[in-house]
Amino acid sequence: MKTVNIGNLNDLPAIAVGCMRIHSLEEKQAAEFVSAAVENGLNFFDHADIYGRGKSETVFSKACKDAGIKREDIVLQSKCGIVPGSMYDFSKEHILKSVDGILSRLDTDYIDILLLHRPDALMEPQEVGEAFDILKKSGKAKDFGVSNMKPMQIELLQSGLKQMIVVNQIQFSPAHAGAIRGGFEFNMLTDGAADRDGSVLEYCRLKGITPQAWSPFQYGFIEGTYIGNRKFSKLNEELKKVGERYGISASAAVVAWVSRHPAGIQTVTGTTNKERLIDLKHGLDVTLSREEWYGIYKSAGNMLP
């Protein structure tokens, strides 16, 4: 199974189990889901304080108790900074208050990684740095990252921090591949040539930041899934062909595609179905050839000049 390194954490599964929808499960289902994930080596869990308005974290902590899962056997990541329906807030007060809420709901003394959830235009890097210093010193958060940030936004934030940013979570998949299309279509008059991300994957590689791919099975801005979607018939045909070659599903082939990129991208799943999660894991056992990787890329409607 492919692994990734994040900060000082090594050999983490190249799948992060996204817990956005876990609040929709019954208690027994949630415990079975979390237990199945850990038993299959998928012990990295991604949260955010806005998921289920906090309920997802509460349901998860109860599920861990019911399943007899020890805190030291899992890696917990959560995000803060979004005030639902209102604004983004990276103030020191909001960050510290948010983390206390996260810890309370997750019923733990610390989270392994804290991400700032989408960029705050009113961010003061030094103020964020003060919050991070307090969290680091108190042991409430071990490492820090961001979500949906461009390189210069990270650079600005980093200027006020003693800690290094170790994660950047972005939307990424064969059907949402702007982070690489711009590089292929450089200096062209095509839609893909527009620089919408500031070469974020190259930046992450240079800075030792681990990218995490959210909504890996969605197209557009969460417009729907492309798996089994007639709008993406060529992509589905290619994923099926590659999957059959390796004895994995089309969805697992997407995981293989994401993890094949040398940036060391961690796929963030969104399923709450334990069988589907285990199915996706099989993609981490496959290393696609260049021909296969480019074939999937092109079949999604992406061009190669």
Side-chain angles (χ1 to χ4, degrees), residues 11 42 68 83 105 126 128 145 203 216 239 245 248 266 296 300:
D11 299 324
L42 303 178
V83 181
R105 291 187 294 272
Q126 288 72 26
V128 176
Y203 174 83
L239 290 172
R245 186 175 301 142
I248 60 176
Q266 187 180 41
I296 291 173

Side-chain angles (χ1 to χ4, degrees), residues 102-165:
I102 290 168
L103 295 177
S104 176
R105 291 187 294 272
L106 288 174
D107 194 19
T108 183
D109 295 328
Y110 70 97
I111 52 176
D112 296 281
I113 309 171
L114 173 69
L115 305 189
L116 297 179
H117 206 172
R118 294 197 172 276
D120 175 13
L122 303 182
M123 170 187 71
E124 295 287 355
Q126 288 72 26
E127 185 178 2
V128 176
E130 290 174 9
F132 283 8
D133 287 345
I134 292 171
L135 294 171
K136 184 75 172 180
K137 186 175 181 180
S138 65
K140 291 181 178 181
K142 293 186 175 182
D143 281 304
F144 303 89
V146 296
S147 178
N148 305 293
M149 281 200 188
K150 298 175 71 172
M152 287 308 295
Q153 291 170 325
I154 299 176
E155 283 286 296
L156 175 60
L157 173 62
Q158 189 68 71
S159 71
L161 306 181
K162 295 176 185 176
Q163 302 80 16
M164 298 303 295
I165 295 298

